[in-house]
Amino acid sequence: MNNSNNKQTTPAWATGILSAIVWGGGQWLNRQYLKGLVFFLIGAGSLTAELTTGHYNDMSAGFRLRDNGGFFLKGLWGLVTLGTQPRKMGMSGLTPGDHSIVLMANGIIALFVILILVFFYVWNIRDAVMARRRMNESGIHQSSLQDMKQLWESMYAYIVLSPAALLTLFICILPIVFGVLIAFTDYSRSNTPPTKLVHWVGFDNFVTVTQVFSWMHTFLNVLLWTFVWAILATITTYFFGFFQAVLLNNSDVKLKKLWRSIYILPWAVPAMISALVFKSMFNGQFGPISQFLLDTGLTDERIYWFTDPNHTYLARILALLINLWLGFPYFMALIGGTLTTVSDSYYEAARMDGATSSQTFWKITFPIVYKATAPLLMLSFVSNFNNFGVIYFLTEGGPANPDYNFAGNTDLLITWLYKLTLDNRLYNMGAVMSIIVFLIVASFSLINLRKSKSLEEI
């Protein structure tokens, strides 16, 4: 630090205005040349990117964002308009034109980059003002390196976390924003780029889901079954895993490691493989289960477990049982580990008080284990709410239901969303469903986690 011989008379706001006009200008006025150069390069780089990616050298017909704009301006134009000129199939292939979905994606990226630049722009102004204010108050000039070292020490955690935050912005947040925006367009199989343009339609897709009977009927029934599935799948796997863990924790059980190894196998095998094996075993036409029941005289005809539209609950119950087989080892292992942390003094005191085994379990074991595993129980509910693999690979949503729009009797919201999007190319309706699923899962999880105070224990 250098003591300034002369009292600094430049007001702080002047450096801010200079940095607002020229990136890094205020820092140069503060004689913090390195910081000024960094901010200047950021500003100049963004301007260069816009100029080099646009067509600013050919504006004989006037400036038009579509034809002359660069990465930033044309990106924002594309995001707002989604294009104005569809491509057409000609003798030599597709003619030049706009692709609405590409324009939307580029627009979102441009918007994100602009937001980052706005952050640096504000930082550039604020840094110049704060640095000048410190100089005026103390009369001490602080160099760029001293300022940067101070920034590194005070903001170390944020600086280290920044690269991951940037990756999250472009890898996680960007697709989410893209999916949300699709819900407000008419992007579907009847309106697919590049030969057609996609248009913004506001809340029309949400209105269709809520006001058109076939969509509302399908949505409510699929939503109801999704909740029933998530609740039953979570409860059955949790308590059966709990039961197995308590049994294996019993001192009378020998070869505990062997039993644990056997019971963990269903979880160790990929769920998709297990689902496909069960699907083959319960195949109504060729499956060995139906053949065995027929051969032994237990049934008079083959049972179409997953496809019989007259016995839809058969497929649902079987899906829950298979999910139980796949899911209980996780809770068995989790709760088994938790049980080893419960102090024997609790059980000793209970025995001295004459407590029964049932009272010991409900008054000591269950509360302790539940408190430790409640956060994962809630996460398991969310996972089952979106349990795509078991339902899709086991039943593919069947049995078919002619009263539903593109959904079967065992379809969850997530599998229905998949069918809408990939099988039927109703991207706009699929996006609406994804938003609804997100809102339901997020709200339910937040309410339950707060109610159970589980997050406070993490």
Side-chain angles (χ1 to χ4, degrees):
M1 298 182 184
N2 299 322
N3 289 321
S4 179
N5 295 326
N6 299 319
K7 186 177 177 61
Q8 303 292 336
T9 56
T10 304
W13 58 265
T15 58
I17 291 177
L18 189 56
S19 279
I21 297 172
V22 180
W23 287 62
Q27 283 77 9
W28 280 76
L29 189 61
N30 293 335
R31 290 182 293 155
Q32 293 182 322
Y33 304 116
L34 181 58
K35 281 202 303 182
L37 179 62
V38 171
F39 282 121
F40 179 77
L41 289 177
I42 294 174
S46 59
L47 181 61
T48 304
E50 171 62 25
L51 294 176
T52 54
T53 54
H55 300 279
Y56 289 90
N57 56 346
D58 181 16
M59 293 192 292
S60 56
F63 178 75
R64 290 181 296 185
L65 288 173
R66 180 180 182 279
D67 299 325
N68 303 107
F71 173 74
F72 296 109
L73 292 182
K74 187 173 182 179
L76 294 179
W77 169 84
L79 184 60
V80 172
T81 65
L82 297 182
T84 56
Q85 181 180 325
R87 302 179 71 180
K88 296 179 181 178
M89 183 59 72
M91 295 297 292
S92 58
L94 287 171
T95 60
D98 301 326
H99 192 299
S100 299
I101 300 306
V102 174
L103 288 176
M104 181 187 290
N106 289 341
I108 297 172
I109 295 172
L111 182 62
F112 280 11
V113 175
I114 288 173
L115 291 176
I116 293 172
L117 289 174
V118 168
F119 169 77
F120 279 105
Y121 180 70
V122 174
W123 184 10
N124 150 61
I125 298 171
R126 185 175 182 276
D127 176 78
V129 172
M130 297 300 292
R132 171 55 63 177
R133 187 172 294 165
R134 284 196 302 271
M135 291 179 193
N136 289 346
E137 291 175 354
S138 63
I140 299 175
H141 173 261
Q142 191 162 293
S143 68
S144 294
L145 289 177
Q146 289 171 327
D147 243 17
M148 289 179 175
K149 183 179 179 182
Q150 194 175 43
L151 177 69
W152 174 263
E153 291 173 349
S154 61
M155 305 287 286
Y156 172 77
Y158 295 107
I159 294 171
V160 172
L161 289 173
S162 296
L166 278 177
L167 283 177
T168 302
L169 180 66
F170 287 98
I171 295 176
C172 299
I173 306 298
L174 191 149
I176 292 174
V177 173
F178 181 81
V180 170
L181 293 182
I182 288 293
F184 297 91
T185 69
D186 57 358
Y187 184 31
S188 65
R189 61 186 172 190
S190 60
N191 201 37
T192 306
T195 55
K196 293 183 179 179
L197 292 176
V198 175
H199 307 91
W200 294 111
V201 295
F203 288 91
D204 287 0
N205 296 323
F206 293 87
V207 172
T208 301
V209 172
T210 55
Q211 293 188 355
V212 176
F213 174 79
S214 59
W215 281 104
M216 193 65 183
H217 175 70
T218 307
F219 170 71
L220 290 179
N221 281 282
V222 173
L223 178 64
L224 177 63
W225 162 240
T226 303
F227 267 109
V228 171
W229 159 269
I231 293 170
L232 291 179
T234 303
I235 290 176
T236 51
T237 52
Y238 182 78
F239 280 98
F240 192 65
F242 205 134
F243 176 68
Q244 295 295 329
V246 171
L247 281 181
L248 292 177
N249 198 52
N250 193 303
S251 57
D252 295 333
V253 175
K254 306 298 182 186
L255 303 174
K256 292 181 179 179
K257 291 183 179 179
L258 175 63
W259 288 109
R260 288 195 184 99
S261 300
I262 293 173
Y263 284 134
I264 207 70
L265 283 177
W267 190 56
V269 177
M272 182 189 72
I273 303 299
S274 299
L276 292 176
V277 169
F278 278 113
K279 182 179 181 179
S280 299
M281 291 176 64
F282 286 95
N283 184 289
Q285 191 170 4
F286 307 107
I289 304 295
S290 289
Q291 185 65 46
F292 173 78
L293 294 175
L294 192 63
D295 292 343
T296 55
L298 293 175
T299 59
D300 297 328
E301 56 185 10
R302 284 184 170 276
I303 300 176
Y304 292 86
W305 304 91
F306 298 133
T307 56
D308 189 351
N310 298 317
H311 300 88
T312 57
Y313 287 102
L314 187 62
R316 290 178 172 180
I317 292 171
L318 202 54
L320 282 167
L321 290 175
I322 293 171
N323 182 73
L324 173 62
W325 169 259
L326 298 174
F328 88 87
Y330 168 74
F331 281 116
M332 182 196 73
L334 177 70
I335 294 171
T338 306
L339 287 174
T340 60
T341 64
V342 181
S343 173
D344 289 336
S345 60
Y346 297 148
Y347 298 108
E348 186 66 28
R351 280 193 290 271
M352 293 178 65
D353 291 339
T356 63
S357 299
S358 176
Q359 289 174 324
T360 301
F361 175 80
W362 289 109
K363 299 294 183 182
I364 298 176
T365 305
F366 183 75
I368 293 176
V369 173
Y370 175 75
K371 187 175 182 181
T373 57
L376 296 177
L377 191 60
M378 299 304 166
L379 293 178
S380 177
F381 172 84
V382 173
S383 176
N384 282 314
F385 196 91
N386 291 323
N387 197 335
F388 176 86
V390 171
I391 293 298
Y392 189 78
F393 292 113
L394 193 64
T395 70
E396 296 183 34
N401 190 326
D403 296 330
Y404 288 177
N405 273 355
F406 312 107
N409 284 292
T410 58
D411 261 321
L412 306 177
L413 283 174
I414 190 70
T415 55
W416 186 33
L417 188 158
Y418 178 85
K419 289 180 177 178
L420 289 174
T421 305
L422 295 185
D423 293 348
N424 299 284
R425 296 193 296 165
L426 297 173
Y427 307 108
N428 52 347
M429 301 306 293
V432 170
M433 291 305 151
S434 67
I435 292 175
I436 294 174
V437 169
F438 171 77
L439 291 176
I440 292 174
V441 170
S443 303
F444 189 83
S445 301
L446 188 61
I447 292 171
N448 281 277
L449 287 171
R450 282 190 173 184
K451 188 174 181 180
S452 64
K453 299 182 180 179
S454 302
L455 288 177
E456 297 177 6
E457 304 297 331
I458 296 177

